[in-house]
Amino acid sequence: MAATERVLAAVNTRDAGFFRERRARLAQARKDRGLTQVQLAERLGLAQQTLAHYEVGRARVAADLLPTLAEVLELSLDELLIGQPPARPAGKRGPASRLQQQLDAVSQLPKAKQRFVVEMLDTVLAQQGH
């Protein structure tokens, strides 16, 4: 195998791994939110069959659909594409504040528990006139 062929094979292997992980994240995120393929497809304006193809890897999600998909699934693009929350903004130094640590912990909870926390915060803030 020529050097160029080896490089291309390595790139294709990495790409395959990336897309395999992304489809698994897509299916898991949909399930975590209690959505069926039909429900998510309707929210995205797609046929259910198209979404099924995305989840099993027969088709790749179009790049222009990714922001909408992330929004519907309540994920950042980083979480959707690489499985990690966005990096902290540049310029922040030192440890995260207690509030940030709590928000990070809440973001790791199942979506139902996240909604409960948000409702609680909304109630407290409404009582304070915010």
Side-chain angles (χ1 to χ4, degrees), residues 6-17:
R6 282 195 301 272
V7 169
L8 288 175
V11 168
N12 288 338
T13 301
R14 281 195 308 263
D15 283 352

Side-chain angles (χ1 to χ4, degrees), residues 1 8 16 21 25-26 30 34 42 47 53 60 64 70 74 77 85-86 116 118 129:
M1 181 181 281
L8 288 175
E21 290 170 8
R25 277 192 297 279
L26 171 59
R30 175 184 56 76
E42 285 175 357
H53 287 308
R60 292 185 179 171
D64 63 343
E74 301 171 355
L77 283 173
F116 173 76
V118 168

Side-chain angles (χ1 to χ4, degrees), residues 85-106:
R88 288 179 50 197
K92 277 212 149 196
R93 294 188 183 157
S97 69
R98 178 159 166 72
L99 177 60
Q100 186 61 51
Q101 290 172 354
Q102 290 172 323
L103 290 172
D104 291 343
V106 168

Side-chain angles (χ1 to χ4, degrees), residues 27-52:
Q28 190 59 51
R30 175 184 56 76
K31 292 172 187 174
D32 288 348
R33 279 134 192 94
L35 295 171
T36 65
Q37 284 184 343
V38 171
Q39 291 168 323
L40 180 56
E42 285 175 357
R43 291 172 92 179
L44 296 171
L46 302 171
Q48 179 273 330
Q49 189 71 18
T50 302
L51 183 63

